[in-house]
């Protein structure tokens, strides 16, 4: 299968590199062309436009910042929908709004016959680099079986969660846990430090216990030293996902008070200039 990858950012770049290493022929397009140098050097073909990319490939893969960008890339002028074919599939690795995803899939099929699979991922940049992402899929079973060879070099696990949109709902659930976990980690580290505990030792002390988690092991040490590292992920991304959780809960009439509070605290932190920073900076919400 010939692949077209749109969105060569923090996650898209290592995912594309792994697909190239697995022997796939990959064409790429990105709104910021300066981000394409490394994947071009790794063997990717740089398409001059979205339309050029779509005409060359069997699968169109997206890994984009948010729902609005997905809509623009697919349905905007010169977008995927205007050049797609019924024998192609669109696979969206982005974290997008579930209701919008269902609408996009219906519109795309009506416009050009393409099917849609929502396949958001979890595991961060480290997981993308190692090929150990967890991928949660929504769509038709036959479409998901078709893309499994493509997902294999990217993932440790691929789960078909249900019809279109189910993958995005699962990712929202994932981010509710991650976002609330990070807020608790930040306030816990701040409390430990003010109490005179050697916070650097907390991730090691709690490793393997019920309080342990990947955020604890990856972000905990950075919070303990009140670091502001080069971002491997962003506060704005977590805030976007928590806001989607609250929006989905309103649609379904299901209470999400913890996620709502986490979103407001994260919004407060972001308003102080941290939206583009790593979530490790959340401890500063309690220290400033």
């Amino acid at each position: 299968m010939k692949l077209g990858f749109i969105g060569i950012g923090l996650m898209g770049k290592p995912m594309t590199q792994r697909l190239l290493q697995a022997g796939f022929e990959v064409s790429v397009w990105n709104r910021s062309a300066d981000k394409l140098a490394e994947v071009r050097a790794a063997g990717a073909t740089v398409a001059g436009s979205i339309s050029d990319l779509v005409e060359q490939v069997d699968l169109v893969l997206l890994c984009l910042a948010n729902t609005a960008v997905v809509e623009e890339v697919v349905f905007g002028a010169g977008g995927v929908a205007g050049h797609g074919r019924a024998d192609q599939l669109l696979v969206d690795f982005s974290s997008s709004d579930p209701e919008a995803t269902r609408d996009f899939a219906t519109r795309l099929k009506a416009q050009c016959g393409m099917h849609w699979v929502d396949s958001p991922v979890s595991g961060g940049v480290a997981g993308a680099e190692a090929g150990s992402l967890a991928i949660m899929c929504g769509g038709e079973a036959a479409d998901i079986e078709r893309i499994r060879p493509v997902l294999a070099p990217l993932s440790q696990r691929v789960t078909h969660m249900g019809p279109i949109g189910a993958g995005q709902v699962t990712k929202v659930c994932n981010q509710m846990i991650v976002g609330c976990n990070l807020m608790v980690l930040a306030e816990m580290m701040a409390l430990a430090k003010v109490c005179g505990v050697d916070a650097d030792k907390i991730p090691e002390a709690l490793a393997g216990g019920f309080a342990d988690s990947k955020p604890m092991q990856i972000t905990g040490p950075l919070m303990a030293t009140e670091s502001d590292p080069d971002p491997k992920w962003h506060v704005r991304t977590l805030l976007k996902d928590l806001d989607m959780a609250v929006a989905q809960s309103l649609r379904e009439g299901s209470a999400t008070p913890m996620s709502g509070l986490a979103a407001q605290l994260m919004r407060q932190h972001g308003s102080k200039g941290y939206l583009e920073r790593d979530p490790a900076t959340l401890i500063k919400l309690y220290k400033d």
Side-chain angles (χ1 to χ4, degrees):
M1 286 183 285
K2 294 182 179 180
L3 311 180
F5 207 113
I6 300 175
I8 311 301
L10 284 174
M11 295 292 290
K13 183 176 74 172
M15 292 170 74
T16 299
Q17 289 169 330
R18 286 201 61 86
L19 291 169
L20 291 165
Q21 291 163 9
F24 286 101
E25 183 178 336
V26 186
S27 296
V28 295
W29 185 86
N30 195 67
R31 290 184 298 172
S32 303
D34 59 309
K35 294 184 178 180
L36 297 174
E38 289 186 51
V39 293
R40 175 188 277 150
T45 299
V46 175
S49 65
I50 294 175
S51 60
D52 288 345
L53 179 144
V54 173
E55 289 166 2
Q56 297 170 20
V57 303
D58 302 301
L59 300 185
V60 177
L61 313 176
L62 309 181
C63 192
L64 300 168
N66 54 50
T67 308
V69 179
V70 171
E71 183 171 25
E72 175 62 25
V73 165
V74 177
F75 299 105
V80 174
H83 302 275
R85 309 182 304 271
D87 63 336
Q88 293 173 307
L89 277 176
L90 185 147
V91 182
D92 186 17
F93 294 123
S94 320
S95 296
S96 299
D97 181 82
E99 193 70 21
T101 293
R102 296 185 189 104
D103 175 61
F104 294 165
T106 300
R107 289 165 59 190
L108 183 66
K109 188 174 181 181
Q111 188 164 339
C112 68
M114 285 180 74
H115 284 206
W116 189 295
V117 178
D118 50 300
S119 298
V121 304
S122 181
V125 173
E129 292 171 343
S132 61
L133 295 169
I135 303 182
M136 46 220 84
C137 295
E140 295 184 11
D143 292 337
I144 291 161
E145 289 307 308
R146 179 179 171 187
I147 66 173
R148 281 188 185 274
V150 176
L151 303 183
L154 305 176
S155 62
Q156 60 172 314
R157 182 173 56 261
V158 176
T159 309
H160 184 190
M161 299 304 301
I164 293 164
Q168 296 296 357
V169 171
T170 308
K171 180 59 185 291
V172 165
C173 294
N174 180 89
Q175 295 302 83
M176 290 167 70
I177 296 170
V178 173
C180 291
N181 192 352
L182 284 168
M183 292 306 312
V184 170
L185 282 177
E187 67 178 59
M188 174 274 293
M189 282 291 184
L191 176 63
K193 290 166 74 72
V194 79
C195 291
V197 170
D198 187 347
D200 290 344
K201 294 181 179 178
I202 286 179
E204 178 186 355
L206 303 186
F210 277 12
D212 198 11
S213 65
K214 288 206 171 181
M216 169 74 82
Q217 296 302 324
I218 295 171
T219 308
L222 297 171
M223 287 184 174
T225 57
E226 300 180 34
S227 300
D228 186 358
D230 288 338
K232 290 293 187 181
W233 50 336
H234 297 99
V235 169
R236 63 169 163 78
T237 303
L238 273 172
L239 177 57
K240 177 259 298 181
D241 291 341
L242 287 169
D243 282 342
M244 283 198 302
V246 174
Q248 190 68 14
S249 75
L250 290 172
R251 291 186 194 115
E252 303 298 337
S254 180
T256 51
M258 298 292 289
S259 297
L261 177 58
Q264 291 304 321
L265 290 168
M266 207 163 291
R267 198 179 325 280
Q268 181 182 356
H269 182 60
S271 72
K272 297 179 180 180
Y274 290 104
L275 282 175
E276 300 298 325
R277 303 310 306 161
D278 191 280
T281 60
L282 282 165
I283 191 172
K284 298 180 185 297
L285 184 62
Y286 298 93
K287 301 289 287 185
D288 292 347

